Amino acid sequence: MKIKLPQLKASLILPVIFPAAGLAATPSRTETSSPVMIVTATPVNHGLSELDTPAAVSVVYGEDMRRAQPQVNLSEGLAGVPGLQVLNRQNYAQDLQLSIRGFGSRSTFGVRGIRIYVDGIPATMPDGQGQTSNIDIGSIDHVDVLRGPFSALYGNSSGGVINVVTKKGQQPDTLKVGSWYGSYGSWRNSLQASGSTGDGTHAGDVDYTASVSRFTTHGYRDHSGASKDLANARLGVRIDDDSTLTLLVNSTHIQADDPGGLTPEEWRANPEQVAPNVSLYNARKTVDQTQAGLHYERSFGDNDDLSVMTYAGIRETTQYQSIPYTAQTKSQKFGVIDLTRHYQGIDTRWTHRDTLFSLPVSATVGLDYETMSEQRKGYQNFSQSGSSYTDLGQKGALRRDETNLMWNLDPYFQTAWQLSDKWSLDAGVRLSTISFDSDDHYLANGDDSGDKRYHQWLPAASLKYAIDDSWNTYLSAGKGFETPTITELSNRPDGQSGLNLGLKPSTNKTIEWGTKKRIGYGLLNAAVFQTDTRNEIVSADNSNGRATYKNAGQTRRRGMELGFEQQFAGDWQLTTSWTVLDARYRSNACSGSDCTGNRIPGIARNMGYLGLEYAPYSGWYGGADIRYMSNIEANDENTVSAPSYTVSSLNTGYKWLVDNWTVDLSGRIDNLFNRKYVGSVIVNESNGRYYESAPGRNYGVGLNVSYAFR
């Protein structure tokens, strides 16, 4: 009898392990294939299993992320990954707050400190600022989360790596329609078509997956409604016996209101209310993004592979903030941000496998080039006539106009040696060069043009020892760095005009020990680590949505990650994880007091997850989970913190298989016991509005119907 083993098969890591800055996917579970598969530790497509990978890496399958879920946010399926802190702001104008081992916790919007890839296309710009809004959960095959020293080999802003791989179409052709309805007037409707003209092994074979979806919500809080239209397509062609070409297209349109943060007192009184001035200025955000990519892969015999990934896109953002006109007339602040970003890049990589001194060895050499040009404008969010201020919340006079250009050029090399039956060595290095240039066109307050260039060698190595076929241990070390993003360079903490060019890149050194043990049909993994950082970029101030940043001197992160997944009694799945992370300042980061020894804000010291699922291929299914998050400091002084919380959820459903039809009806309850808690914090918010509220008990029901053209 074949047994379906969840989460044992992982993609490779490093440029060899995560090719094209994305992961080389190995076979995984799909909803249209046989419900069972065999997982072994044998390399597939020159890959490694999750067990054999000498780094802290977790794999979450799209099938599990979609089961009885609305399929709107990555936070729905990644809560059980150790070391990954996912905070849902319940604010679609600001995206999720993701951090890995504390990197990214300072972000007031979008994602920083983490590299994100979708099918090899970076969702992180060259300056290190990323977003998750264009990820179609309905199309995900699997998500790989890499933590630790080897993430530095992805270059700038690599506190960790999240790689999303979408599904390849396969026979039979299938059409799927889905609808989900939840609390707060939330709807999501979707349509997906997938299939192929062959099995993918013959010249001329074509596979495709295309989907469209629309999500709307009134929002849990006042003034938090949003809508998102998303389209995603993947088309693969087998050119000949040795090469393939994959076309990737993605487009999203978002309109979202921004309720802002609350003070602790406001949150306790009414967590659904909005911050002052939010309604007056109608704080909101609009995003339009379209991108396309081509991935060419070719094998030259059994020992050599070529991969070329190229892509281009445009992202337009208009954001209306709730900054009062009194603040704008007395300073360099403005209330409307208007951005247009054009980005493109190419990653070329060659891999060779051979023997040297009778030892099996592989080597990869590659070159990654990314560039982004940005037209950044700022306007007042009001009209002024003499001493009268009108049209609040509308675009007014121009206050900022600049063109920014950022690019990186990163050659990299990685090698893997099988030293003996027990010992193996992986090592790599990347030379990262980041260039930033700003040309100021608004000269009323002086010429604020400027440029910066950063260089950094990023080495990493790991030594692994296989205790037996089911148990190994490894020791790894690496150096990473993170440059300021364009947003972080845009505003000076002293309130003066000009770029924050005094902001330095941060550098870090990490050492990690880990072990992994296969137990029955499950996997136990553990890792302990220490990361020391110099010049860490942290929040200096956050006032009315305008954030500024500074360097914090030295910080240290020490932690432990435990994860265990087990399949038992046929269709039962258990997932548990626990993370301990002590992140502190080792030098003073405060101006009015000494913060040495304080906890870095935005980071939970403890996180826990326990999930139990009954998931047969058809019929009744269901599950429950419990999540724990310890208190999170909200400012450098550690005088305010978001309280700890424990929340749980239940889900159930029934899947009918009738001839060519599949009907899946599901329902779920989140925050089952109606706990009142803070979903995320706005670090160092100068008005004390640190808290972004999470919803109480809420519900959702979904129906998915698919037809297979056999």
Side-chain angles (χ1 to χ4, degrees):
M1 175 181 177
K2 295 180 179 180
I3 301 295
K4 180 175 63 175
L5 304 183
Q7 311 238 353
L8 287 189
K9 182 61 69 175
S11 307
L12 293 182
I13 59 171
L14 319 184
V16 167
I17 298 176
F18 293 176
L23 304 152
T26 55
S28 61
R29 298 177 295 177
T30 64
E31 294 163 292
T32 57
S33 63
S34 169
V36 292
M37 68 175 291
I38 295 178
V39 177
T40 69
T42 304
V44 178
N45 296 332
H46 312 297
L48 293 178
S49 71
E50 185 176 350
L51 170 69
D52 293 329
T53 301
V57 61
S58 300
V59 182
V60 180
Y61 289 96
E63 177 184 353
D64 298 325
M65 298 177 69
R66 288 184 287 272
R67 187 181 300 115
Q69 292 281 11
Q71 304 177 39
V72 176
N73 297 304
L74 279 180
S75 56
E76 300 165 16
L78 299 183
V81 175
L84 174 64
Q85 179 177 294
V86 186
L87 301 180
N88 190 341
R89 296 183 172 102
Q90 301 297 318
N91 183 347
Y92 292 93
Q94 305 296 354
D95 214 332
L96 297 176
Q97 188 180 73
L98 302 178
S99 64
I100 293 179
R101 295 184 176 178
F103 289 98
S105 61
R106 75 179 185 275
S107 176
T108 56
F109 64 92
V111 180
R112 300 176 198 172
I114 301 173
R115 298 289 292 181
I116 303 175
Y117 296 89
V118 182
D119 289 328
I121 299 177
T124 303
M125 297 295 102
D127 65 342
Q129 182 172 316
Q131 43 77 37
T132 65
S133 57
N134 69 317
I135 297 175
D136 178 24
I137 297 178
S139 298
I140 290 177
D141 181 80
H142 64 276
V143 178
D144 305 282
V145 182
L146 172 67
R147 311 174 298 279
F150 275 123
S151 60
L153 293 184
Y154 287 84
N156 179 31
S157 195
S158 295
V161 180
I162 296 177
N163 180 78
V164 178
V165 179
T166 62
K167 298 182 294 184
K168 293 180 60 177
Q170 54 184 279
Q171 296 179 336
D173 294 335
T174 302
L175 184 65
K176 182 177 181 180
V177 178
S179 185
W180 173 85
Y181 173 74
S183 299
Y184 320 117
S186 301
W187 282 93
R188 181 183 181 272
N189 296 304
S190 62
L191 176 65
Q192 184 180 92
S194 64
S196 68
T197 61
D199 61 5
T201 63
H202 302 90
D205 285 353
V206 175
D207 64 83
Y208 67 93
T209 300
S211 64
V212 293
S213 65
R214 178 171 176 80
F215 167 73
T216 60
T217 182
H218 299 325
Y220 161 65
R221 297 176 60 190
D222 299 335
H223 197 78
S224 63
S227 66
K228 179 167 75 170
D229 300 312
L230 179 61
N232 194 77
R234 172 176 179 151
L235 176 66
V237 179
R238 168 67 68 174
I239 299 174
D240 52 38
D241 291 342
D242 299 316
S243 59
T244 61
L245 184 67
T246 304
L247 171 66
L248 305 155
V249 179
N250 179 273
S251 182
T252 186
H253 170 74
I254 300 172
Q255 289 182 305
D257 294 329
D258 187 350
L262 300 176
T263 66
E265 295 75 20
E266 291 169 340
W267 173 74
R268 283 189 285 267
N270 178 12
E272 297 182 27
Q273 66 178 300
V274 299
N277 296 320
V278 163
S279 298
L280 186 63
Y281 289 89
N282 190 18
R284 62 200 186 274
K285 187 176 185 179
T286 301
V287 176
D288 287 281
Q289 176 175 304
T290 300
Q291 65 182 28
L294 276 175
H295 189 193
Y296 175 74
E297 297 176 284
R298 183 175 183 86
S299 297
F300 297 87
D302 295 331
N303 297 326
D304 293 274
D305 298 317
L306 172 68
S307 171
V308 180
M309 181 77 218
T310 183
Y311 59 89
I314 180 173
R315 182 177 177 89
E316 298 173 298
T317 303
T318 303
Q319 182 175 9
Y320 288 78
Q321 299 175 302
S322 57
I323 300 176
Y325 64 78
T326 53
Q328 298 179 58
T329 56
K330 296 178 181 179
S331 69
Q332 301 301 322
K333 295 181 180 180
F334 47 88
V336 181
I337 300 173
D338 189 347
L339 302 177
T340 300
R341 288 178 166 177
H342 295 266
Y343 57 94
Q344 50 272 319
I346 183 170
D347 188 302
T348 303
R349 184 187 69 258
W350 185 284
T351 300
H352 177 71
R353 292 166 293 276
D354 211 329
T355 58
L356 187 63
F357 307 117
S358 301
L359 299 176
V361 61
S362 68
T364 292
V365 60
L367 183 66
D368 177 30
Y369 175 71
E370 302 173 25
T371 181
M372 178 182 73
S373 60
E374 173 190 85
Q375 183 66 47
R376 177 182 289 264
K377 294 184 178 181
Y379 299 87
Q380 293 175 339
N381 58 358
F382 61 89
S383 298
Q384 182 176 359
S385 178
S387 59
S388 300
Y389 301 94
T390 61
D391 298 326
L392 302 184
Q394 300 300 316
K395 186 181 291 186
L398 181 70
R399 294 294 300 276
R400 186 167 193 163
D401 185 6
E402 65 194 36
T403 301
N404 300 315
L405 175 65
M406 178 166 276
W407 56 263
N408 70 270
L409 182 64
D410 293 16
Y412 57 83
F413 173 78
Q414 192 245 323
T415 183
W417 294 71
Q418 189 65 45
L419 304 177
S420 69
D421 292 340
K422 298 287 187 180
W423 292 93
S424 62
L425 174 67
D426 288 83
V429 65
R430 184 180 184 116
L431 174 59
S432 192
T433 300
I434 313 292
S435 178
F436 169 77
D437 184 89
S438 181
D439 187 7
D440 187 7
H441 307 299
Y442 183 78
L443 305 179
N445 56 356
D447 188 352
D448 297 325
S449 302
D451 61 86
K452 278 281 187 178
R453 185 167 294 185
Y454 312 98
H455 305 274
Q456 195 67 237
W457 287 95
L458 305 174
S462 180
L463 183 65
K464 187 192 75 174
Y465 177 73
I467 300 171
D468 56 40
D469 291 342
S470 65
W471 187 12
N472 64 59
T473 184
Y474 65 89
L475 181 67
S476 60
K479 179 182 180 181
F481 94 124
E482 182 177 0
T483 66
T485 66
I486 290 179
T487 300
E488 291 160 349
L489 291 170
S490 296
N491 302 312
R492 290 173 50 176
D494 58 12
Q496 299 300 309
S497 63
L499 299 171
N500 191 14
L501 295 178
L503 198 59
K504 303 175 183 177
S506 65
T507 58
N508 64 75
K509 296 179 180 178
T510 299
I511 185 168
E512 172 183 308
W513 170 83
T515 186
K516 303 178 183 182
K517 170 68 175 176
R518 186 167 61 238
I519 302 174
Y521 297 137
L523 183 68
L524 173 68
N525 61 82
V528 294
F529 61 90
Q530 176 174 301
T531 301
D532 290 321
T533 304
R534 290 182 177 274
N535 295 317
E536 178 147 352
I537 301 170
V538 299
S539 295
D541 179 67
N542 196 308
S543 178
N544 297 305
R546 183 183 186 270
T548 59
Y549 298 86
K550 63 184 179 183
N551 292 110
Q554 300 182 47
T555 64
R556 170 169 288 176
R557 293 169 169 83
R558 288 176 171 171
M560 176 185 68
E561 299 166 352
L562 296 173
F564 178 60
E565 299 170 75
Q566 181 67 272
Q567 180 173 326
F568 62 96
D571 296 312
W572 288 88
Q573 299 175 15
L574 175 70
T575 303
T576 64
S577 66
W578 190 268
T579 301
V580 179
L581 177 57
D582 184 49
R584 297 185 180 273
Y585 291 118
R586 299 185 67 202
S587 59
N588 187 26
C590 300
S591 56
S593 61
D594 190 352
C595 294
T596 305
N598 283 9
R599 287 172 54 189
I600 302 175
I603 303 172
R605 183 180 174 88
N606 289 274
M607 295 186 297
Y609 178 86
L610 173 63
L612 181 64
E613 295 279 342
Y614 175 65
Y617 190 60
S618 62
W620 284 105
Y621 61 86
D625 65 70
I626 300 174
R627 294 187 294 117
Y628 169 76
M629 187 82 68
S630 67
N631 72 307
I632 298 177
E633 300 294 343
N635 57 11
D636 290 334
E637 292 80 10
N638 290 182
T639 57
V640 180
S641 65
S644 61
Y645 62 86
T646 301
V647 294
S648 56
S649 69
L650 290 175
N651 72 81
T652 188
Y654 194 92
K655 183 185 289 187
W656 291 269
L657 303 178
V658 182
D659 296 328
N660 294 352
W661 294 90
T662 300
V663 179
D664 188 350
L665 177 65
S666 65
R668 67 178 298 110
I669 304 175
D670 287 303
N671 195 357
L672 180 64
F673 299 104
N674 200 28
R675 302 299 188 193
K676 183 178 179 180
Y677 69 100
V678 176
S680 67
V681 299
I682 304 173
V683 173
N684 288 336
E685 215 286 336
S686 61
N687 295 308
R689 299 189 178 98
Y690 304 107
Y691 293 176
E692 293 184 287
S693 310
R697 184 186 299 115
N698 59 96
Y699 311 85
V701 294
L703 176 64
N704 294 285
V705 179
S706 63
Y707 182 83
F709 296 86
R710 292 187 173 89

